[in-house]
Amino acid sequence: MEALKTMDLNALLEKNRAFTSLGKVANYIPELDKANPNAFGVCIMDLEGNEYCAGECNEKFTIQSISKIVTLMLALLDNGKEYVFSKVGMEPSGDPFNSIRKLETSSRKKPYNPMINAGAIAVSSMIKGDDGRDKFNRLLDFFRKIMEDDSIDVNYKIYIGESETGNRNRSMGYFLKSEGIIKGEVEEALDVYFKQCSIEVTAKNIAKLGLFLARNGVTSTGEQVVPYKIIRIIKTLMFTCGMYDKSGEFAVKVGLPSKSGVGGGIVSVVPGKLGIGIYAPALDEKGNSVAGTKFLEDFAEMFDFRVL
Ligand code: DON
């Protein structure tokens, strides 16, 4: 990507760092409120092996909801799309990521999509394994394979904190069990979910995830880990649901398949070209990184990478 080589990434990052003052770090999960609200790191990786990084791109944070797209890949590999989407929908909900409202009012009788917490908890329950420990170990190995980093692991302090305070998610889990969406033990499904959200990464790890998607499921060593037909589903759901009840505006202004997390991460994909990893924990009211979103708006405008 010759155009990137002349880009002043530091200048573009510092211009958008100012927007960190418009957001707040998440405080409903213990420890997340200790993040530096002014932190901002970006890493962009292309298919030729070039990396363009700026700011706090090596600073560790928890992946949170970005994990949902990786777990969905494994659930689709484990169960097939017919089963997965018989339990979770494919539609944008128009509600906040932690909304319970439509779980009961909707005629669908299943979570609207795999990106909202209810859908993600259902998906986490579908990971195969002998027990909860085996299920999560399979999932963690899958994360390490896709991000090509065997050092990736759980931040157990954040995992324990979220598990102890995650009662809203717990209520969703038991409701999903009552509706037959979750077949196994609810606490086992929740434990997989809380651990996956607490996996610690950097913007570089997230960019590698984006690059994996840009390559349609192929690692840098040429291994097809996930079939294209699953990657296409993942990118489509990122585009339509990945930023929750801001996905529509994001699609217009950025126009790239993306997924946010309350730890301050955003992964974005320029299909066939780039993976982008962002860390900026000051969030807007929807739980999306303010400075990260603004950076992506500028970036998409500068290079016209929008997919539509
Ligand atoms: O379950 C939760 O609320 C968090 N572990 C994840 C939510 C999240 O990252 C929403 N994305 N912006």
Side-chain angles (χ1 to χ4, degrees):
M1 298 294 299
E2 286 309 309
L4 292 183
K5 289 176 181 166
T6 58
M7 163 183 64
D8 187 342
L9 184 58
N10 281 305
L12 187 61
L13 179 137
E14 291 309 328
K15 172 197 171 208
N16 286 287
R17 191 189 290 269
F19 289 106
T20 60
S21 63
L22 300 181
K24 290 182 181 174
V25 300
N27 60 14
Y28 71 100
I29 298 172
E31 297 294 310
L32 288 194
D33 60 355
K34 294 187 171 60
N36 170 10
N38 194 42
F40 190 12
V42 176
C43 185
I44 299 167
M45 295 181 180
D46 67 20
L47 270 58
E48 291 72 42
N50 300 303
E51 285 185 17
Y52 308 89
C53 300
E56 296 75 77
C57 55
N58 290 308
E59 190 158 321
K60 288 194 172 185
F61 60 98
T62 50
I63 196 171
Q64 298 299 334
S65 282
I66 298 172
S67 68
K68 294 170 178 177
I69 61 175
V70 180
T71 306
L72 180 58
M73 283 188 242
L74 187 54
L76 286 166
L77 286 169
D78 280 354
N79 303 277
K81 67 179 180 182
E82 286 70 21
Y83 179 78
V84 171
F85 293 113
S86 72
K87 301 296 182 187
V88 183
M90 307 177 195
E91 299 299 332
S93 70
D95 287 329
F97 63 83
N98 60 355
S99 176
I100 297 176
R101 190 163 66 89
K102 286 183 179 145
L103 277 185
E104 187 161 40
T105 59
S106 166
S107 59
R108 300 169 188 273
K109 293 296 177 196
K110 61 187 178 183
Y112 264 61
N113 67 68
M115 304 299 168
I116 57 176
N117 286 8
I121 293 165
V123 169
S124 295
S125 78
M126 298 176 196
I127 301 304
K128 293 192 181 301
D130 298 333
D131 56 23
R133 181 184 179 84
D134 181 39
K135 290 175 182 179
F136 182 73
N137 284 343
R138 282 191 68 233
L139 183 58
L140 185 58
D141 286 344
F142 189 65
F143 270 85
R144 289 170 173 167
K145 191 172 188 70
I146 285 177
M147 292 184 181
E148 300 181 46
D149 182 345
D150 289 339
S151 72
I152 284 172
D153 208 339
V154 174
N155 178 318
Y156 278 90
K157 194 170 185 181
I158 288 183
Y159 151 66
I160 290 164
E162 181 162 8
S163 181
E164 289 175 346
T165 61
N167 296 308
R168 189 179 180 89
N169 284 332
R170 198 158 267 115
S171 72
M172 289 182 214
Y174 283 96
F175 182 84
L176 292 169
K177 175 74 173 179
S178 74
E179 294 294 312
I181 300 296
I182 290 181
K183 294 295 186 192
E185 291 302 315
V186 175
E187 288 303 329
E188 190 177 88
L190 288 165
D191 199 56
V192 170
Y193 175 77
F194 290 137
K195 278 182 183 161
Q196 76 182 48
C197 286
S198 304
I199 288 173
E200 212 163 40
V201 291
T202 64
K204 283 191 176 182
N205 291 133
I206 298 298
K208 183 73 90 166
L209 169 60
L211 192 61
F212 178 77
L213 294 168
R215 279 203 190 96
N216 288 321
V218 178
T219 63
S220 59
T221 58
E223 185 183 356
Q224 184 87 50
V225 173
V226 178
Y228 167 70
K229 61 183 180 179
I230 288 180
I231 298 294
R232 193 189 63 77
I233 293 171
I234 300 296
K235 289 186 292 184
T236 304
L237 288 170
M238 289 168 73
F239 194 79
T240 57
C241 308
M243 306 301 275
Y244 306 111
D245 46 334
K246 202 160 190 179
S247 294
E249 180 180 336
F250 191 93
V252 170
K253 292 183 177 179
V254 177
L256 297 175
S258 301
K259 182 72 201 81
S260 62
V262 289
I266 298 178
V267 59
S268 281
V269 185
V270 181
K273 292 188 175 75
L274 301 173
I276 304 169
I278 286 172
Y279 169 58
L283 309 175
D284 63 18
E285 71 289 354
K286 308 292 187 183
N288 301 319
S289 169
V290 178
T293 299
K294 288 293 186 183
F295 171 90
L296 288 167
E297 288 177 17
D298 277 353
F299 186 75
E301 187 68 29
M302 283 170 69
F303 294 100
D304 194 19
F305 281 142
R306 295 182 184 92
V307 296
L308 296 175

